[in-house]
Amino acid sequence: MEKLLEVKDITVKYGVKTVLSEISFTLWKNDFLGIIGPNGGGKTTLLKAILGLLKPSSGQIIFYKDDRQVNMLKIGYLPQINQIDRAFPISVHEVVASGLISEKKGWRHYSKEQQQRISETLDKMGIRDKAKRPVSDLSGGELQRVLLCRAIVSHPDLLILDEPNTFVDKLYEAKLYQMLEEINRDMSIILVSHDTGTILPMVKNIACINETLHYHAGNNPSDEWLGQAYHCPIELIGHGSFPHRILQNHEH
C-alpha cells in the first residue's frame, strides 16, 4: 500500500492542558478513515494539526506523494455546517469556485479548464441547476452538497470532513455517504464524527481519539475495543442501514 500521511507521536497542548498525547497512525492512498471519540477528546484538534492550522508541541506529520515525502498535500476540507455564515451574499457557483482560488493567477478570471471542473463537480453533486442561487436560499442538505463541491473541485489528494452529518436529515445523510463512497475512488478521506454507529458501515478503518489514539484496522470493532477507546462501556446495535449507538450506564 502507498502511504499518504503519517502522524508520528504528536502531542498537542493548550497551555498546561494536554489535548492529544503521542498520537500515531498512517493514512494510505484511497483510505477511508473514520475518526470517532467523545466530545472534547481531541478530534478537531487533530484535524487542525493535519491542516497546518496549529503546530504540535512535539512529534511530526509527514506527507507523501507517489511514495516520496513532500512538504504538503492538496487537501479539501468540509467544515461543520454550523460554522458557515449563510447570510453572506454569495452564490452557489461562487462558493464552489472558491475551492480553486489557490490555483488562480492573481485577479485573472478562472480558465476554461477550471470552469469546466466547476460545472462537472456541480453535476456530480446534482446541484448544477442551483448554481446562480444565493446560499441563503438553500436547505441544510443542499448547502452541505455545495460545501462538498468546494472541497473536491480542486481534485485533492485528501478530503477531510468534520461532522458532515450535523444539521442534515437522515434521507440526505444516506445520499451523502453514497457520494463519499464514490469520491473515495479518487481520493483518501478522513471523516470525523461523534455518531459511531452511522459511520462504521462506510469507512475502511477506524480510530478513536480520546487524548490518546486507538486504531482499528477494518470497520468492525468489538464492544471491548470501543469500551477501551471511550473509557466507558459502549454497545452498537444494528437497525436497518443506520446502526444506533447505545450507551450502558456509566459515570462519564
Side-chain angles (χ1 to χ4, degrees):
M1 291 189 291
E2 185 178 327
K3 282 184 183 179
L4 190 73
L5 169 71
E6 190 173 14
V7 176
K8 298 180 67 175
D9 299 319
I10 71 163
T11 293
V12 177
K13 296 182 178 181
Y14 293 141
V16 298
K17 179 177 173 58
T18 299
V19 181
L20 297 176
S21 179
E22 298 183 352
I23 299 293
S24 295
F25 69 92
T26 299
L27 183 76
W28 307 96
K29 186 175 180 179
N30 295 112
D31 199 352
F32 194 152
L33 177 66
I35 296 181
I36 61 175
N39 291 334
K43 301 187 299 296
T44 299
T45 297
L46 176 61
L47 294 190
K48 289 180 178 179
I50 293 173
L51 290 165
L53 300 178
L54 63 81
K55 185 177 181 180
S57 307
S58 61
Q60 292 180 289
I61 298 177
I62 305 170
F63 302 103
Y64 297 89
K65 181 84 170 179
D66 300 324
D67 283 327
R68 299 175 63 180
Q69 189 172 328
V70 295
N71 291 330
M72 191 61 186
L73 293 172
K74 186 183 290 187
I75 299 177
Y77 176 52
L78 180 65
Q80 293 186 36
I81 197 170
N82 62 342
Q83 297 174 352
I84 305 301
D85 182 3
R86 298 181 62 168
F88 190 76
I90 189 170
S91 71
V92 167
H93 184 278
E94 289 169 327
V95 170
V96 177
S98 68
L100 295 174
I101 284 179
S102 63
E103 298 181 16
K104 276 185 65 179
K105 296 181 179 179
W107 294 97
R108 295 183 183 179
H109 294 293
Y110 290 101
S111 67
K112 289 184 179 180
E113 186 274 334
Q114 289 169 331
Q115 291 285 4
Q116 181 66 22
R117 269 195 281 164
I118 293 169
S119 296
E120 289 175 352
T121 306
L122 287 167
D123 279 338
K124 190 174 185 178
M125 295 295 109
I127 54 173
R128 190 172 184 179
D129 61 326
K130 298 176 174 61
K132 295 183 179 180
R133 289 177 58 183
V135 294
S136 58
D137 288 353
L138 303 180
S139 67
E142 290 170 340
L143 179 58
Q144 194 72 294
R145 289 194 192 200
V146 173
L147 298 177
L148 185 56
C149 283
R150 182 183 67 176
I152 66 173
V153 70
S154 65
H155 297 170
D157 305 296
L158 171 62
L159 174 64
I160 294 179
L161 307 103
D162 191 2
E163 302 283 4
N165 55 346
T166 305
F167 301 114
V168 296
D169 59 42
K170 286 296 181 183
L171 179 61
Y172 172 72
E173 189 176 346
K175 294 180 180 178
L176 171 66
Y177 288 128
Q178 289 174 356
M179 288 186 285
L180 292 181
E181 186 175 7
E182 182 179 345
I183 290 169
N184 185 222
R185 298 169 188 162
D186 300 319
M187 65 193 72
S188 299
I189 298 177
I190 294 178
L191 169 61
V192 169
S193 178
H194 69 278
D195 194 351
T196 308
T198 299
I199 71 167
L200 284 178
M202 294 301 307
V203 301
K204 295 175 180 176
N205 299 296
I206 194 85
C208 182
I209 301 288
N210 194 3
E211 184 178 325
T212 57
L213 180 142
H214 292 251
Y215 183 89
H216 186 281
N219 63 353
N220 58 342
S222 65
D223 291 344
E224 290 76 15
W225 183 90
L226 288 166
Q228 291 174 358
Y230 273 83
H231 301 162
C232 63
I234 183 170
E235 294 180 2
L236 293 177
I237 298 179
H239 182 73
S241 300
F242 291 95
H244 292 256
R245 181 178 61 190
I246 307 296
L247 292 177
Q248 298 174 350
N249 290 332
H250 58 283
E251 297 180 356
H252 288 62

